[in-house]
Amino acid sequence: MIPRYTRPEMAHIWEPENRFRIWLEIETLACEAQAELGVIPKEVVPVIREKGNFDIARIDAIEAEVKHDVIAFLTSVAEYVGPEARFIHQGMTSSDVLDTCLSVQLVQAADELLADLDMVLASIKERALEHKDTVCIGRSHGIHAEPVTFGLKLASWFAEMQRNRRRLTAARENIATGAISGAVGTFANIDPYVEEYVCKKMGLTPEPVSTQVIPRDRHAEYFCVLALIASSLERIAIEVRHLQRTEVLEAEEFFSKGQKGSSAMPHKRNPILSENLTGQARYIRSMCIPALENVALWHERDISHSSVERYIAPDATVALDFSLRRLNGLIKNLVIYPGNMMDNLNKMKGLVFSQKILLDLTQAGVSREDAYRLVQRNAMKVWEQGKDFQEELLADQDVVGALGEAKIRESFDLAYHLKHVDTIFKRVFGE
C-alpha cells in the first residue's frame, strides 16, 4: 500500500524487520524443542537465543545470489550465531517457517482490525442512540417509501458490523495454525512435538494435515471476510453519499475550517471520505479471487500462492485498517439535518401513508383489489398534479364512505410507523 492509506501500526506487521524477527523466533523455538528431544545439544540453545540475529541488507544481498529467501535468512543468522548455527532448521522445510510466520502476521493484523471494529461499533452505537427518534423517510428503489428514523439506519449498520466482528473472530481462529512438519508434511525428519511446542509458544494450533503447506482454504476464508467487511463499509458510504446530495442533504460529512472541495468551484463540499471508502472496498474485494484460486495447489505443494500472498496479505489488511479508521471518523463527525429530513418526508404531500390507508380499507371490508384501486387513484393525483394526498382522500366519497373522515386523518400519524423502534433497538443493543 502507498503511505497515503497506511497506518504505521498495521504497516509494521508487514515490514521485513517484523517478518524476519518472527522467522528467527520460530527457528529458535524449534531448536528448544529439538534440544528437549535430544536431537541437538542443549548447550547450543542459549547461544542461538542470545546471538541469534540478522541483517536485512545482508539477507537481500545473499538472496540476490542464491535466489532463495529462507536460505539467505539462515545464512545471515549463521553469521551472527557461529558454529552452533548448524543445528538451526534441523528437519524443517522453508514452508514451515514461511507459513507459520504468515499465520502469526495475519493474527496480528486481525487483532488490529478487531480493535478497529470495536471503535467503529462504539461510534455507530453512540450516534444511533442520539438519533433513535430522528424521523426521516425510508426509501426503496431510491423512491420515498415510509417513515423510519435515522437511528434505525445506524442500528442496521451496527448489527451488520457485529456480524462482521464475529466473522473476523472466526477467521482469526481458523488462520491461527502453524506447521513444522518438514518436507511434504510427514514429520519424517522432525518430531511432531516440535510443531506442538512452537505453535503453543507462538499462540497457534498445529495444522492437522499440512502437506508441507498450510491449506489455503484458511487464507481464502480470511480474505473473503475482509472483503465482506469492506462491502459493509461501502454500504454505509453509499448511504452517506446519497444523503449528502444537494437535493437531499439529510446528512453531510464534516467540512473542516480551511478545507476546500474543488479546485474550480469554491462553493463545493463533496463527500470525499465516503467516495474514498467506496474505492477502498473495490480494491479489497479484488483480492478475494486470487485468494480463492490459491486453494488449489499442485499435489503436496507448489509456490503459485506465494507471490499472490506477498501482495494481498499486506495490501488487504492495510487498506481495511485505514478504511475502518476513516469510517469511524466519518460517523463520529457526521453532520445530521433533522429539519431537512422532515422537509423531504413531507415533499410527497402525504403519500408515505398510502399503505396505512390501504390496510384500513381492507379492515373496513373493502377487497384488497378495490382498496388498492381507491388509494392509487388518489395517489396518482399527487404525483401528476401536485395535490395533497389527505385532501384528495377526504374528497373521495368511496374512501370516506368506507373509513370516515376521522379515521382518514388518524392514519396520517407518524407515531404509527415508529411504534416499534424501541423493540428493534432492544434487539440490536439489548436493554
Side-chain angles (χ1 to χ4, degrees), residues 151-161 163 235 428-429:
L152 285 175
K153 289 179 183 283
L154 288 153
S156 172
W157 301 348
F158 183 90
E160 186 167 339
M161 285 301 173
R163 292 192 294 275
R235 177 190 173 216
V428 176
F429 301 108

Side-chain angles (χ1 to χ4, degrees), residues 355-370:
Q355 181 178 193
K356 181 64 167 66
I357 299 296
L358 171 67
L359 296 176
D360 289 343
L361 287 168
T362 60
Q363 290 291 318
V366 181
S367 72
R368 184 173 180 86
E369 291 74 16
D370 288 341

Side-chain angles (χ1 to χ4, degrees), residues 131 134-135 243 249-253 269 335-342:
H131 291 284
T134 301
V135 181
L243 295 179
L249 200 56
E250 295 181 4
E252 182 183 30
E253 292 180 7
R269 294 184 358 172
V335 182
I336 312 300
Y337 297 111
N340 289 353
M341 291 178 176
M342 285 302 299

Side-chain angles (χ1 to χ4, degrees), residues 144-214:
H144 285 203
E146 292 188 350
V148 296
T149 75
F150 193 70
L152 285 175
K153 289 179 183 283
L154 288 153
S156 172
W157 301 348
F158 183 90
E160 186 167 339
M161 285 301 173
Q162 275 192 320
R163 292 192 294 275
N164 283 328
R165 195 190 192 288
R166 290 194 291 270
R167 291 179 182 119
L168 183 55
T169 299
R172 181 198 184 281
E173 179 181 351
N174 288 331
I175 202 63
T177 61
I180 310 290
S181 54
V184 300
T186 60
F187 297 100
N189 297 299
I190 193 165
D191 194 282
Y193 172 75
V194 178
E195 180 181 76
E196 294 169 9
Y197 182 89
V198 173
C199 285
K200 184 177 181 180
K201 294 288 187 178
M202 300 296 291
L204 307 174
T205 57
E207 178 61 47
V209 184
S210 58
T211 74
Q212 190 162 328
V213 294
I214 293 174

Side-chain angles (χ1 to χ4, degrees), residues 25 45 110 132-134 206 220 326 338 344 416-417:
E25 184 63 14
V45 175
K132 179 168 74 79
D133 300 314
T134 301
R326 170 150 288 185
N344 287 337
Y416 170 83
H417 291 274

Side-chain angles (χ1 to χ4, degrees), residues 326-380:
R326 170 150 288 185
L327 176 69
N328 185 65
L330 188 158
I331 291 170
K332 285 181 73 70
N333 299 309
L334 190 67
V335 182
I336 312 300
Y337 297 111
N340 289 353
M341 291 178 176
M342 285 302 299
D343 288 344
N344 287 337
L345 187 150
N346 292 324
K347 274 183 180 177
M348 298 303 291
K349 300 182 178 180
L351 284 186
V352 296
F353 299 101
S354 70
Q355 181 178 193
K356 181 64 167 66
I357 299 296
L358 171 67
L359 296 176
D360 289 343
L361 287 168
T362 60
Q363 290 291 318
V366 181
S367 72
R368 184 173 180 86
E369 291 74 16
D370 288 341
Y372 197 101
R373 176 179 53 80
L374 290 174
V375 176
Q376 189 178 47
R377 78 184 182 190
N378 288 287
M380 291 306 106

Side-chain angles (χ1 to χ4, degrees), residues 245-260:
R245 282 160 41 225
T246 306
E247 61 272 25
V248 178
L249 200 56
E250 295 181 4
E252 182 183 30
E253 292 180 7
F254 177 72
F255 196 82
S256 62
K257 185 178 180 180
Q259 183 176 341
K260 293 177 172 57

